Structure formats: structure tokens, C-alpha cells
Amino acid sequence: MMLEIRGLTKHFGGIRAVDGVDLHLGEGELVGLIGPNGSGKTTVFNLVTGIYRADAGSVTLKGENLVGLPPHRINRLGVARTFQNIRLFRNLTVMDNVRIAHHSHLGYGPVAALCRTGRFYNGEKELNGIVEVFLSIFSLQNRKNDIAGSLSYGDQRKLEIARALASKPEVLLLDEPAAGMNPYEVGRLMEFILAIRDRFRISILLIEHQMRLVMGICERLAVMDFGQVIARGLPSEIRENRKVIEAYLGEDVAIE
Amino acid sequence: MEYFLQQVINGLQIGFVYALIALGYTMVYGIVRLINFAHGDVFMIGAFIGLYAVERYQWPLTAVFVSAVVGCTILAVLIEQLAYRPLRHAPKIASLITAIGVSLFLEYFTSLRQVFGPNFYSFPRPFAVVSWNWHGILVTNIQAVIFFVTVFCLLLLQFIVFRTKMGRAMRAVSFDYVTAGLMGVNVNMVISFTFGLGAALAGVGGVLYGIAYPQVNTFMGFMPGLKAFTAAVLGGIGNIPGAVLGALIMGQSETMVSAYVSSAYRDGIAFVILILVLLWKPTGILGTPRTEKV
Amino acid sequence: MRLLRNLIKTFVAYAFLAGSISLLAGGGVVNPYWVQILELACIVAISAQGLNIIYGHTGLFSLGHAAFYGIGAYTAAYLMKMYGGQSQAAFLAALLAGGGAAAAVACLIGLPTLRLTSDYLGIATLGFGIIMKVVFDSADRFLPELGGARGMTGIAKMTTVPWVVFFLLASLLVVRNMIHSSYGRAILSIREDEIAAETMGIDTFQYKMVGFVTGCTFAGVAGGLYAHLYAFLHPSNFDFFKSIDILVIVVLGGLGNMSGTLVASFGWIFLLEGLRVVLPPGYVELRWVLIPVLLIVTMLLRPQGIFGTREFPFLRGKVYR
């Protein structure tokens, strides 16, 4: 098992934002996490990546505990993510955004950097190659010297995924990757997500509201409402699930 | 014991003056997130207006306070409109540097011989000083005036902030000025009003300071300003009771250090306490912790 | 090979700069007063590059930079006075010790306070600056040689053009090489978005410490040079206004802009001294009336600093193939 979440719980004041969530992600799996706004999906991501500390429950990556570790350690162990409200390094170039994510795998030390020894130049060259690889996946290589904040919304979302990949994760958490994209872009994004999963052999957990994307590429789905997982199963099963329909549309509508 | 209680009284005296200045810092910061470095100098102007009103024109005490309040309010509103408003959407640091510029300008411009002059001027007592001895503890009518005037100002401020339409608008703008603007609050007006209100309190503080420590100078606003700001941060910046609490703590601590350790360390102790408090509660004693939405 | 080539290039630049200024000064072309101002400008530029790392690059709001400048100055001056005599080697050691002392204190202060955010960090460092001023004022109580509020005298005049140019060039090289490396980009990422940086594997606390301590070290070395320039130290040389001076320079130059910081340092010092010369006698006090006005107008017209994001060619980042 790649990522395993058991009994995950987080309170904010009196509110149980996440209430005993169990989730698991197998190797190479692509799982969708869906649910109405405010149902606690993003909080699950924040708990897994160490931005918030869980009140109870466990999170393990290949059997190794993640709860209580700072976010940078969790990233180095192999979990990377994107953010719902895009958090790029806005004033830096596209290239720098990707290079920063690769910092933990750097090939030269601080002394080499200060003295600009051969190792430094080689290391920088190597970094350029990595940048090229990740940017070309998303056809962003022509924008590499542009300031990240100047990219279009859709390109910024893609750059965030490229940046996350550059930190060499085994588990990738995507938080609403298709938000604000038009149907054509969503179609392309679906291809990208499948392609990177296969190319880098990573497991992906994604939060999304666009049903076309979720139903189209996810192998399994988990549905959250009021901090709990109310249903799980294959996309086709979830589509027919009464509880899910109620959660999304309200009880009255669901009774037909 | 008498000595200790005497120090408590002295500490309250300076603490109340700090409180009047600290309120201006805290309200302005609460609304525009600007450390208004010029605020201490507005306090200084208040003291000088008081000096002129008492010495040259020999106005009654009420008129002295009113003139300082009016003068400081006008000055602060002018500063806000000319120097800060154009920078409201610029990086925050630009406003901060501008505030420092305004502060330096006020200090050095008024210290020109043609304006107030560079010397220390003694502040004449506007009334005869009477002191009461209560079991060996000396309380003067100056301290009584400081106490009553400050409490009156605090009650008035409480009324304005929580019982008037303008107060509600201030609280709304401080919570979220974009949304407040969309809801029909005249944000510019509220910001000007806040600057003016803070300056009015600083003006009162300036006159009280002049009466209590009867000497004024155009650079006198710097240290009290800095300490009052520190007091505001200590109590939780943006929080009105916090500013008063912080100011009282600051007044006590520095009086106690002067009395029991050495007056050489007086200016340092306030900041030692500040740093310790921030390490314990990063947003001040009464400040609400801020969590960033991810 | 590239290392060797870089070394030669740096040495030639150094020899040219230090040599030509020394020649002009020695030949009487530039009068000694202005040479001293130039030396001061270089020293201020070193300290300003330090604050530029702390605030401009790492995004840590520090209002107490002068305290570290002072720690370096008093440490170096004390060591030289007690043990150094007139020796150049001892001077170098004293300067490095000054930087080291500033770095050590920066570590102690940084460990607890760098967890604070923006304005709170600013006010905590401001507080630290005021505390250090009080310490300098009463320093003679524990070390009489430091002079306390009366000022410290008997410091050798060791600071010369070659020394200041050497350290200025060194500081520029350190900042440039650091910022245009992966370590520097890690530092920049904290300024940009701390949470994103953390989730991308950057130990933000560690790199905040790196930025803060490096910047304070620069201030410490600059302080040592300053102590041996005028041979006199007074606590008022390290008060809140001196911290503000450096902050103004960094903001005027454009936050995070090395070239801007360099130019603004020279501009600021020459403006201060130039006004002293230009203003008719009896009007010198107008200096501090004009400067704030100039400052306010500059901020209103160019809130992003004079230089914005442009850098001199030798300070730019390059892509290596």
C-alpha cells in the first residue's frame, strides 16, 4: 500500500472538519476524492502534507508514519501536491519554480555554489535538463524565462503540477487541477494526468468538481460530506449511489 | 511597601499616556496594516500646541485640550491624504518608508529656528500642583487629571467604536476593507476618520505628557511613540483593550526597572518583555491567532 | 578551470578598483575628505547587501540591522585595541571575528524569533536593536575599554581603500553566487510563498536562518571596517535611525536588487554628505528637512524602488549549458 490514511480527524474550534477518514492509495492507482464544498477534502490534503497536524488517526507512506513531520520532510519522503488557490512563486521565472522543487535532490553543495566550482556548473546544467523534461510534458518550455505570475490561469495550474513532479514524488495530490479550465483544456489535462502517472509510475489522489474528469480517469472514488467518507467505489457505482446524490443535491431532490 | 505602591502610581501615570498614543497605532494598524511611524510626532505636535495654548494664550485647560485635539486631527488627516493614500495599493514597505519620511520631516522641520526651534522648552503648569499624602504614598492632582482624562477618552472611544455607525464601519473596514467597500462603506472616509481619531487621542496624550513631565522638544515623540507602538503589539495589535493593557504593562515595567535596577536599563526592559511575550503568544496577549488559509 | 578563470577575473577587477582609487587619492586628485566618504559608502554598501539578503531575498522584515553592525564594530575594535596593535593580519582577523560575533548573536536571536511573521518579526528585531543600544550605552560597566555612553576611543585607523574595496567585492560575489544557485533560489522561495516552499521540500526555517545569519555577518564585518575608519565609536552610531538608513537604502534600490542596493548605498551617503557641502552655511540643518521630502516623493513616484528588477550584467543570473 502506497498511502494509507486511518481514522484521520481534525477539529477547528468546535467543528469537525475531518472526522475519522479512512482512505488508501495503491501503487500506481488514480483515486478521486469528491464531495460538496466544505466537506473537508482540502483539509485531508493539508493533514497528509503536514500543513495541519492531525488530532487523531494515522497517515503512512509505504508503512512510514507521516503524522507530526514538517511538510518539507513529508515532501522528501515522496508526497507532493498542488493547491486549490494556486501557490506559485509568482515573481520568479517558470524555470525557477521547477528548479526550486528539485532542490532536495541537488547535485552540489553550498561551498561549490559560493566558489562556483565545476560541480556547480555541472549541477546547474543537470537542473536545466530536468526543467526541460518537466516543462515539455506540459508544453511550457517556451515560457521558461517568463515570470510565473504572468502565465494564464490554465498554464499556472499546469506549472504547479510540473513543479510538484520535479520534487520526485511517489504520491501526487492534486487539488482541483481543472478549476477554471475550459472543456478543451480539461480534456488535455486528463491526458496529461494519465500520461504522468504512467511515465513516472506515481500514485495520484485528486480532488475535483468536474465530473467529466473524475469519472473519466479515476479508477476508484471516495465521496466526502461533513468531514466523513460517505461512499466509496467504482465511478459507475458512485454515480448511482443515493447517499451521494443526496449530499450533492439535497434530500428532497433525490427522492424520485 | 509604600515605595513599591508609589512606583505603581508613577507607572500608571506614564502607562496612561502610553495608552493614549498606543490606541492610535493600534486602530490605524487594524485598518490599513501600516506602522504609522509619524504617530509619535503627532503626539509631539499635540504637546507643542498645548505649550503655546498655555504659555502664550493662557487658555483654560479645556480649551488647551480642544486645540491640541483639533490641531492633531487636522494634521493626521492631511498626512493620510497626501502621503499614505496614494500608496494604498503599492507594496506595504513603500508606505512604511513614507511614514518614516513623514516622521523625520515633522521632527526636523519643527526643530528649525523659524518653527518651534531645536531646544527643550519648559511646559508651564496650567494649574497649581496639589499633592495628597495617603499613608506615605504621594498622589498629585496632575495624576488625577491624567487618570480622569484618559478614562474619559477611553469611554468615549469605546462608545464611538461600538455604538455609532462610524464605529461599525471602522470595524467592518478593519475586518475586510474590500468587502466593506462593496457593502457601501466609504472606505476612504473611514480610514481618514481613524487617523483623525487616533491623532486626537495622541493630542490629548501630548498635552498630558507636557503637564506631567514639564519639558517639550521636537524629538520627544520618538521614544514614547516607539514604546506605545510596542505596547500595542504587546497587547495584540488591532485590539483596543489590548493596547491599553500593553501600555499599562509597559508603564509598570519601566518604572519598576528604574526604581529597583537602574534607569539606564529603562528603555531596554520594555522590549525584553515584548520579545518574550511574542515568543509566548506571537500575536500579542489579547491578539487572535491568525491562521493562513491553504 | 572555470574556477581559476573566475579567480583571475575577480583579482583583476579588485586590483583595478583598489589601485585606481588609491592612486587618485594618493596623487591628491581626490581630497582625503571625499576618499573617507567613499570608504564609508563602501562600508554602508556591504551592510546594505546584508539587509538585502535578509529582507529583499529572504523576505524577513528586520528593523534591527544596526545592532549587528554595532556588535561587529565593538567586537573588532575591542580585539584590535587589546591584542591587535597595528598588524594588518590581526586587522583581518578582527574583522572576521566581528562578522563571527554578529553571526553568533544572529543565531541566538534568530532561533526563537524567525518563527514570527512579517510585522511581528520587524517589531521584535526593532526591540532587539533598542536593547543592544542600551547594552552599548552601558557597556563600560562590564568592559571599561568599550567606553559606554561616552564613546570608545583609542581605535587604530586601519581601514583603507584596498580593505573596503576588497570586502565590498567579496560581499557582492557571495550574494551573487549564493542567490544564483539552488540555495539562493530556496531562499527566494520563502519570500515568495513559505507554505509552497515547505511543501516542495525546502526546510524554510533552516534557510531563513541561513539568510538572516549571512546578512548579519555582512553587517558585522562592515561594522568592524567602520570602527577602524573614524577610530571612534559611539552607541548613537548604532541606534534605530541607523537601521532605518539601511532599510531606506534597500527599499530605494528595489527589494532584492543587488545593483540597486549598491547604487542606492553610494547615492544615499553622497547625498547626505553632498548636501552638507552644497547647502550654504547656517542652513545645514535643512538637510534633514529636504531628505525626508525627497524620500516621500521618491516613494510616491517609484514605490518599487529606483532600479525595479534590473541588475548590472555581472550580478545577473545566467543559464549554464
Side-chain angles (χ1 to χ4, degrees):
Chain A
M1 198 53 50
M2 207 61 217
L3 184 73
E4 188 148 28
I5 300 171
R6 275 176 194 278
L8 196 63
T9 302
K10 178 73 186 174
H11 307 253
F12 290 112
I15 302 158
R16 285 176 167 237
V18 173
D19 188 4
V21 165
D22 294 328
L23 266 179
H24 62 92
L25 189 60
E27 213 170 317
E29 252 194 316
L30 210 170
V31 175
L33 186 58
I34 62 174
N37 283 325
S39 57
K41 306 179 299 292
T42 297
T43 308
V44 169
F45 274 22
N46 286 336
L47 291 169
V48 171
T49 53
I51 290 173
Y52 300 148
R53 203 198 154 119
D55 294 328
S58 71
V59 181
T60 56
L61 181 78
K62 293 196 290 187
E64 207 167 336
N65 171 50
L66 298 185
V67 176
L69 297 180
H72 66 267
R73 294 262 302 125
I74 293 175
N75 175 264
R76 287 180 203 174
L77 287 172
V79 182
R81 70 174 289 183
T82 64
F83 297 89
Q84 189 179 344
N85 48 341
I86 308 179
R87 302 187 81 122
L88 287 169
F89 307 125
R90 292 185 60 85
N91 299 308
L92 304 183
T93 61
V94 168
M95 188 176 177
D96 282 346
N97 270 272
V98 178
R99 289 198 284 191
I100 287 165
H102 201 73
H103 182 69
S104 329
H105 311 279
L106 190 65
Y108 60 87
V111 177
L114 281 184
C115 304
R116 297 220 161 160
T117 61
R119 275 186 100 94
F120 165 76
Y121 292 108
N122 291 335
E124 286 288 293
K125 260 184 240 169
E126 197 189 314
L127 266 179
N128 294 334
I130 287 158
V131 168
E132 212 65 43
V133 168
F134 289 108
L135 289 182
S136 59
I137 296 172
F138 297 96
S139 325
L140 284 169
Q141 65 271 47
N142 297 327
R143 311 293 307 269
K144 71 178 177 189
N145 292 317
D146 294 350
I147 298 298
S150 72
L151 295 184
S152 72
Y153 196 71
D155 280 350
Q156 291 195 16
R157 288 225 172 267
K158 290 187 212 155
L159 175 57
E160 250 206 334
I161 302 176
R163 182 179 70 172
L165 285 174
S167 70
K168 291 193 169 173
E170 292 179 273
V171 170
L172 181 61
L173 310 179
L174 300 175
D175 198 346
E176 296 194 26
M181 286 188 176
N182 63 40
Y184 171 74
E185 285 176 313
V186 173
R188 295 269 299 166
L189 183 71
M190 287 163 69
E191 291 165 24
F192 283 137
I193 293 174
L194 288 172
I196 58 173
R197 195 258 313 249
D198 296 338
R199 178 161 174 191
F200 299 102
R201 289 193 211 94
I202 51 177
S203 318
I204 298 178
L205 180 62
L206 71 88
I207 294 175
E208 192 45 73
H209 284 298
Q210 303 222 20
M211 283 306 139
R212 182 163 78 99
L213 185 140
V214 177
M215 297 295 168
I217 62 173
C218 292
E219 290 145 3
R220 281 192 299 119
L221 291 180
V223 188
M224 283 185 72
D225 195 23
F226 292 111
Q228 295 178 322
V229 175
I230 56 165
R232 54 184 94 223
L234 301 173
S236 54
E237 295 166 3
I238 295 296
R239 216 190 308 249
E240 309 296 326
N241 189 308
R242 248 186 82 116
K243 266 192 183 165
V244 176
I245 297 167
E246 275 173 19
Y248 268 95
L249 303 175
E251 272 174 59
D252 300 338
V253 191
I255 305 163
E256 276 182 82
Chain B
M1 191 60 195
E2 281 89 19
Y3 184 67
F4 175 76
L5 286 176
Q6 185 67 57
Q7 298 313 317
V8 172
I9 303 279
N10 294 348
L12 281 176
Q13 174 179 331
I14 188 71
F16 276 126
V17 176
Y18 287 160
L20 287 173
I21 316 175
L23 287 167
Y25 277 112
T26 222
M27 287 191 293
V28 165
Y29 189 91
I31 284 198
V32 286
R33 305 277 180 269
L34 167 72
I35 304 175
N36 180 15
F37 270 106
H39 190 62
D41 302 299
V42 172
F43 157 83
M44 173 273 289
I45 299 282
F48 268 91
I49 294 175
L51 172 72
Y52 281 78
V54 173
E55 193 177 54
R56 198 166 293 177
Y57 306 110
Q58 282 157 11
W59 286 349
L61 197 56
T62 326
V64 174
F65 280 115
V66 171
S67 59
V69 164
V70 172
C72 289
T73 307
I74 294 173
L75 177 67
V77 171
L78 273 179
I79 294 173
E80 193 273 317
Q81 305 212 337
L82 295 178
Y84 301 153
R85 185 169 296 180
L87 286 169
R88 198 164 297 152
H89 301 287
K92 245 174 54 177
I93 183 67
S95 317
L96 187 81
I97 297 286
T98 305
I100 290 167
V102 173
S103 165
L104 288 173
F105 177 79
L106 286 176
E107 288 171 12
Y108 283 90
F109 178 74
T110 53
S111 77
L112 292 178
R113 257 165 286 124
Q114 297 79 355
V115 192
F116 297 151
N119 305 321
F120 281 89
Y121 304 95
S122 65
F123 196 103
R125 291 269 144 91
F127 46 79
V129 181
V130 184
S131 56
W132 302 287
N133 190 327
W134 186 77
H135 297 294
I137 302 160
L138 234 52
V139 180
T140 63
N141 58 348
I142 294 180
Q143 286 164 337
V145 168
I146 291 181
F147 177 79
F148 286 113
V149 171
T150 307
V151 169
F152 172 74
C153 288
L154 290 178
L155 291 176
L156 191 65
L157 182 70
Q158 197 73 8
F159 176 79
I160 293 173
V161 172
F162 290 101
R163 291 277 183 275
T164 63
K165 208 175 162 189
M166 188 48 111
R168 195 187 314 143
M170 280 170 68
R171 285 177 287 138
V173 171
S174 119
F175 192 74
D176 180 344
Y177 80 91
V178 178
T179 309
L182 294 174
M183 296 296 134
V185 175
N186 184 344
V187 175
N188 278 336
M189 166 94 150
V190 171
I191 292 176
S192 288
F193 180 82
T194 308
F195 269 86
L197 188 60
L201 294 172
V204 174
V207 175
L208 289 178
Y209 189 92
I211 295 173
Y213 308 90
Q215 223 181 28
V216 293
N217 171 271
T218 61
F219 298 96
M220 68 182 266
F222 174 69
M223 249 311 161
L226 212 53
K227 285 180 187 162
F229 175 64
T230 307
V233 177
L234 190 66
I237 195 144
N239 182 311
I240 289 176
V244 178
L245 177 68
L248 293 179
I249 294 177
M250 193 114 315
Q252 289 304 330
S253 61
E254 90 176 44
T255 314
M256 291 303 160
V257 167
S258 302
Y260 291 101
V261 191
S262 158
S263 60
Y265 299 131
R266 198 187 61 190
D267 290 344
I269 184 65
F271 298 95
V272 172
I273 292 178
L274 170 82
I275 293 176
L276 293 178
V277 168
L278 286 186
L279 297 180
W280 162 58
K281 287 197 88 173
T283 49
I285 300 172
L286 300 183
T288 40
R290 276 169 174 273
T291 41
E292 195 176 352
K293 179 137 172 54
V294 179
Chain C
M1 269 316 87
R2 250 170 142 162
L3 180 61
L4 192 64
R5 204 166 54 193
N6 287 345
L7 268 176
I8 295 172
K9 257 200 266 179
T10 313
F11 182 75
V12 170
Y14 170 66
F16 173 75
L17 275 172
S20 54
I21 300 170
S22 299
L23 267 180
L24 287 176
V29 183
V30 185
N31 82 41
Y33 175 73
W34 286 105
V35 173
Q36 205 171 37
I37 303 294
L38 184 73
E39 287 168 329
L40 177 64
C42 290
I43 292 169
V44 166
I46 296 168
S47 174
Q49 289 298 343
L51 185 63
N52 190 34
I53 300 176
I54 296 172
Y55 186 35
H57 293 134
T58 324
L60 301 169
F61 188 32
S62 169
L63 288 172
H65 204 57
F68 297 98
Y69 192 50
I71 290 169
Y74 277 102
T75 308
Y78 179 77
L79 290 176
M80 265 315 262
K81 191 173 166 182
M82 301 304 284
Y83 314 106
Q86 300 280 329
S87 146
Q88 296 292 327
F91 183 48
L92 178 63
L95 291 176
L96 296 180
V105 176
C107 275
L108 286 178
I109 292 300
L111 275 175
T113 57
L114 291 187
R115 298 182 195 278
L116 298 173
T117 49
S118 61
D119 285 345
Y120 290 97
L121 178 62
I123 193 77
T125 48
L126 183 159
F128 173 70
I130 307 255
I131 293 168
M132 281 316 293
K133 165 79 163 42
V134 171
V135 171
F136 295 146
D137 268 327
S138 45
D140 51 337
R141 294 184 185 200
F142 45 93
L143 281 177
E145 291 83 5
L146 297 183
R150 282 169 288 113
M152 180 175 180
T153 51
I155 308 166
K157 283 203 176 193
M158 299 296 290
T159 302
T160 55
V161 171
W163 276 120
V164 293
V165 173
F166 172 77
F167 277 104
L168 177 59
L169 216 56
S171 70
L172 286 174
L173 281 180
V174 169
V175 198
R176 183 197 71 177
N177 290 359
M178 181 171 85
I179 287 308
H180 298 309
S181 80
S182 195
Y183 297 91
R185 292 188 290 263
I187 280 175
L188 292 172
S189 74
I190 299 172
R191 175 192 75 190
E192 292 295 308
D193 189 325
E194 199 176 330
I195 288 176
E198 266 284 328
T199 50
M200 290 302 121
I202 306 293
D203 184 344
T204 53
F205 185 70
Q206 180 192 331
Y207 282 103
K208 276 187 195 176
M209 284 295 280
V210 170
F212 188 64
V213 172
T214 312
C216 291
T217 311
F218 280 29
V221 172
L225 287 166
Y226 176 79
H228 297 85
L229 177 65
Y230 293 109
F232 176 69
L233 288 180
H234 191 271
S236 67
N237 299 138
F238 310 106
D239 64 7
F240 175 69
F241 290 105
K242 292 299 177 295
S243 294
I244 293 300
D245 264 3
I246 305 291
L247 181 70
V248 165
I249 288 171
V250 172
V251 175
L252 283 183
L255 279 178
N257 186 309
M258 296 169 257
S259 319
T261 302
L262 185 63
V263 172
S265 302
F266 282 81
W268 181 253
I269 295 300
F270 278 88
L271 175 73
L272 287 185
E273 297 306 321
L275 277 177
R276 214 197 277 274
V277 176
V278 173
L279 290 173
Y283 287 88
V284 178
E285 61 264 45
L286 272 182
R287 215 158 55 121
W288 281 103
V289 179
L290 294 176
I291 286 168
V293 173
L294 211 62
L295 198 60
I296 297 169
V297 171
T298 315
M299 278 295 110
L300 291 176
L301 297 179
R302 281 195 75 83
Q304 74 281 38
I306 313 169
F307 260 60
T309 54
R310 272 172 301 170
E311 292 275 9
F312 291 137
F314 73 102
L315 290 173
R316 263 179 223 153
K318 294 182 184 71
V319 176
Y320 303 100
R321 302 191 180 285

